[in-house]
Amino acid sequence: MNEEKTSDRDILFSSIAANDSELSAILKKRRLYLRDIARLAVKEDRLDSPSSLNEIESETFRSYRERFDTRSPEAADADRFQQAGAMLADAVSIASLTTHMAKEMKLAPLSSPNTAESSRICYFRNIYSDSAYLEFAKRLNNASAHYTGDLTSACEEVYYGKADYCILPVESRSDGLMTRFIGLIQKYELYITVACRISREDGDFVTMFLLGASKTVPADPERIAISVMPDSDCPLRMLLTVVELLGAKLLTCSALPERIYSEEAYYLIFDIKSADLRVIELALQLTLSSWDELGVYKQTDAYLG
């Protein structure tokens, strides 16, 4: 009996190995199809405008599923391994396509840091924001502090052009990620310019953002923060895989509250020191239909005695 059971088990494992081999061949074909589409897009010179990018995205990441993926929803649910394998193949293909397109396109140069002669910074005053202000002021010309009665008022000062920057807390040891302030960043159309993590000897810390009304990119940017609303064509795990394949490293992934967003939404921060920012931004353009860039920035550290 034992020998017969062992034999049956070996047969099953052999069958699985054969299926795995067939699956690998199918996934390889999927990648080749996408590379062919990328070559056609470049050959037809259709990469010169956002509308062209959207058209290529539609052809590449949506239509091909109907042409080459004949699995029924029931079969997909019954075979999680195949579903995961297909997702990984898609992610590899998207990363490959993005890299290929980036080489063929004349990507816009990175922005320059703000060089204004003076900077008015508004914030709600406490020991942490005062410390953050001193760090941020080192990076600006003739910075001056102006205090507000609350954090929303500080954002409004920038939105209405009465101030150049405001300071918001976004994370602390006690509260974790302060998602309500991420909502303020988007409501008032602000961009992260610099981040500062302020630590105390007892282990407590607060991370503060310096926010402005326009996007600036420092030399050798370290991080990119985005908010995304994934869809069925690019679920969150596929997006994370694509971006990491392009050299970025996920630092933060947090769900945003439904009271702010009507759909499922996430706040993501990636370390991009080993990636090309322009390629990462192109990948986000190609894979997501709904996302916002919150800022490209560096983070500094400060300590309270």
Side-chain angles (χ1 to χ4, degrees):
M1 291 288 292
N2 289 339
E3 291 182 0
E4 187 176 350
K5 286 185 177 179
T6 301
S7 177
D8 289 344
R9 185 180 62 183
D10 289 343
I11 292 172
L12 289 172
F13 275 121
S14 296
S15 299
I16 291 173
N19 287 337
D20 288 348
S21 179
E22 292 176 7
L23 177 60
S24 296
I26 292 171
L27 297 181
K28 183 178 180 180
K29 287 182 181 179
R30 291 165 69 94
R31 290 194 292 272
L32 291 174
Y33 286 139
L34 286 180
R35 287 170 186 164
D36 286 342
I37 292 173
R39 293 190 187 99
L40 287 173
V42 173
K43 184 177 180 181
E44 295 169 10
D45 193 24
R46 296 159 57 218
L47 307 178
D48 57 349
S49 69
S51 60
S52 297
L53 293 177
N54 291 335
E55 181 182 349
I56 294 167
E57 174 222 351
S58 177
E59 290 182 9
T60 305
F61 308 130
R62 295 179 183 173
S63 298
Y64 91 94
R65 280 192 172 87
E66 299 174 1
R67 295 164 58 192
F68 306 122
D69 190 349
T70 58
R71 290 178 292 123
S72 66
E74 293 78 11
D77 290 339
D79 194 343
R80 298 290 183 180
F81 177 78
Q82 184 176 354
Q83 195 174 35
M87 186 279 294
L88 179 58
D90 290 349
V92 172
S93 301
I94 294 169
S96 176
L97 173 63
T98 303
T99 303
H100 179 74
M101 291 177 65
K103 292 178 180 178
E104 300 294 332
M105 296 174 65
K106 294 182 179 179
L107 297 177
L110 297 176
S111 302
S112 301
N114 187 293
T115 56
E117 294 183 0
S118 62
S119 300
R120 177 186 172 101
I121 304 175
C122 288
Y123 64 93
F124 176 72
R125 194 175 189 188
N126 57 44
I127 188 172
Y128 288 105
S129 58
D130 278 343
S131 180
Y133 167 77
L134 294 175
E135 287 297 318
F136 295 148
K138 296 175 184 177
R139 299 169 178 262
L140 301 169
N141 296 322
N142 300 317
S144 59
H146 300 267
Y147 310 125
T148 59
D150 55 67
L151 295 169
T152 300
S153 298
C155 295
E156 289 178 344
E157 290 287 297
V158 177
Y159 183 77
Y160 291 111
K162 298 178 180 179
D164 300 296
Y165 300 98
C166 64
I167 297 174
L168 286 185
V170 290
E171 185 182 15
S172 71
R173 181 184 179 187
S174 57
D175 297 327
L177 181 67
M178 304 176 192
T179 54
R180 62 187 182 278
F181 298 135
I182 304 301
L184 286 179
I185 293 174
Q186 294 196 273
K187 178 180 179 180
Y188 291 102
E189 301 175 1
L190 304 174
Y191 291 89
I192 305 164
T193 302
V194 190
C196 182
R197 179 184 168 108
I198 304 161
S199 304
R200 298 174 59 133
E201 292 182 357
D202 60 6
D204 192 19
F205 74 87
V206 175
T207 300
M208 314 287 285
F209 280 162
L210 179 70
L211 299 139
S214 59
K215 175 182 174 180
T216 59
V217 178
D220 302 318
E222 297 176 351
R223 300 184 178 194
I224 182 172
I226 64 173
S227 65
V228 302
M229 285 184 277
D231 54 36
S232 59
D233 292 304
C234 184
L236 181 63
R237 59 179 178 168
M238 181 187 290
L239 170 66
L240 299 181
T241 303
V242 169
V243 176
E244 291 187 351
L245 284 169
L246 293 172
K249 179 182 178 182
L250 180 68
L251 298 176
T252 298
C253 178
S254 181
L256 294 171
E258 291 185 4
R259 67 177 182 275
I260 298 177
Y261 299 85
S262 57
E263 303 177 55
E264 178 186 17
Y266 294 89
Y267 170 67
L268 308 175
I269 297 178
F270 292 98
D271 182 318
I272 56 172
K273 290 192 289 289
S274 299
D276 186 327
L277 170 63
R278 293 167 296 181
V279 174
I280 296 298
E281 291 178 329
L282 177 59
L284 295 171
Q285 270 188 297
L286 291 172
T287 55
L288 294 170
S289 58
S290 182
W291 70 287
D292 288 310
E293 185 171 294
L294 305 180
V296 177
Y297 59 97
K298 290 186 176 184
Q299 178 163 309
T300 185
D301 295 297
Y303 301 91
L304 293 174

